[in-house]
Amino acid sequence: MSVLSIVIQSLLTLYYVFSGIAKTIGAKYWVEIFNHLKLPQWFRVITGLVQLVGAIFLIIGYWFAGAVAWAGIWLGITMLLACLAHFRVKDPISKTAPAFVFAVLNIILIIINASDMLHPFS
C-alpha cells in the first residue's frame, strides 16, 4: 500500500468517524444542514451509520488493502449523493465543494487500491 493511500485513508477515516458520530447523535450543525437540504432527520441518522460502516472498512483496510477500495466505493457514492442533495436545493458551489472533494478523495483510494478489490481480505 502506498504512502499516499495511507495518508488519504487516515484523513478520511478521521472525517467519517467524527462526521458519522455527529450525524448519528444529532449534532445541531448536521440537523440544520439536513433541514436546509430538505431531507428527513431519520435520513441523517442513516447517513451517519453509513459513514461509520465506511470508516470501519477504512480501518480494516490498514491490514487488507482491498477493503479500502470497497470502502471508497461505499463512501464515494455517499458523497456523490450529497453533491446531488446540494444541487437539488440550488446551493452555491462553496457549499457543495466539501462533498465533491471527499468524493474525489474516495475515487483516488479506489484507483490506488483497485488491484486488491477481487480479494479484499487476502
Side-chain angles (χ1 to χ4, degrees), residues 26-75:
K28 182 180 177 187
Y29 173 79
W30 287 110
V31 169
E32 290 172 356
I33 286 179
F34 273 71
N35 284 335
H36 169 74
L37 295 173
K38 298 179 178 131
L39 295 170
Q41 292 303 312
W42 62 264
F43 195 70
R44 172 187 43 79
V45 175
I46 297 299
T47 304
L49 293 174
V50 164
Q51 289 183 337
L52 290 172
V53 168
I56 289 167
F57 274 88
L58 287 172
I59 292 167
I60 291 170
Y62 288 114
W63 294 275
F64 303 102
V68 175
W70 287 107
I73 291 171
W74 177 263
L75 295 166

Side-chain angles (χ1 to χ4, degrees), residues 73-93:
I73 291 171
W74 177 263
L75 295 166
I77 290 170
T78 304
M79 292 296 101
L80 290 174
L81 291 172
C83 289
L84 290 176
H86 285 282
F87 292 148
R88 186 174 62 90
V89 297
K90 297 178 176 42
D91 270 346
I93 294 297

Side-chain angles (χ1 to χ4, degrees), residues 8 12 15-16 51 69 71-84 87 96-111:
I8 294 172
L12 290 177
Y15 171 74
Y16 288 120
Q51 289 183 337
I73 291 171
W74 177 263
L75 295 166
I77 290 170
T78 304
M79 292 296 101
L80 290 174
L81 291 172
C83 289
L84 290 176
F87 292 148
T96 308
F100 181 76
V101 169
F102 283 111
V104 169
L105 290 173
N106 281 295
I107 291 167
I108 292 169
L109 277 186
I110 296 165
I111 292 167

